[in-house]
Amino acid sequence: YAKLDPTVENTVGPIAVEGEVTFKDTMSEGGIAWVFAETGATRWEVLGGLRYFKQDVKIDFSSNLPVDLPFPSRLEVGDSWMQPFAGIRTTSVITDRWSFRARGEYGYEGSDNTSFKVIGMFDYRYRDWGSAFFGYRYLDIDYDNRSSGRDQYGFDGDQQGPLVGLNFYF
């Protein structure tokens, strides 16, 4: 889940126009993995699954004019879509508590619906039932719903940054 709230300001002569943007991005996925090789402390897996995306964008416009703007004061767009993915994951045990995991995958459902994701992270096993991880994720998304008019929506961008989390084993 990601939520961004940037503000955009622009002036045309004495007129100042401001746009407050709210961008919500939700992604969830489920899949399976199959171990195809193990060598010493390293395990290799092929994985596949289905990913769900939902994006909502709202823009509220305002200006310093004493009258209303000649266009709508709010614009709302967004879409949701599913995408199958396949990839590979490797885990290397460093010590009895530390391991390193890397994952790369490609999602595809037509030329206008693709994604590429790479993750690298370290995992610290603090108990039999849990571990903490930290790392970095890069996700590139290219989506176009092929609609026209007011139903048209597309997103072509990347999301990247640090990740931190907990694993629970049962």
Side-chain angles (χ1 to χ4, degrees), residues 99-103 119-123 133-136 163 167:
S99 63
F100 176 76
R101 181 174 293 157
R103 174 178 171 175
I119 296 175
M121 63 184 154
F122 290 95
D123 187 81
F133 63 87
F134 64 94
Y136 197 84
L163 57 98
N167 289 317

Side-chain angles (χ1 to χ4, degrees), residues 6 63 67 104 116 122:
S63 75
V67 296
F116 173 71
F122 290 95

Side-chain angles (χ1 to χ4, degrees), residues 130-152:
S131 68
F133 63 87
F134 64 94
Y136 197 84
R137 178 188 82 161
Y138 174 83
L139 172 64
D140 182 74
I141 304 168
D142 185 5
Y143 173 73
D144 185 347
N145 68 2
R146 296 186 180 182
S147 294
S148 60
R150 302 192 95 198
D151 293 331
Q152 185 175 9

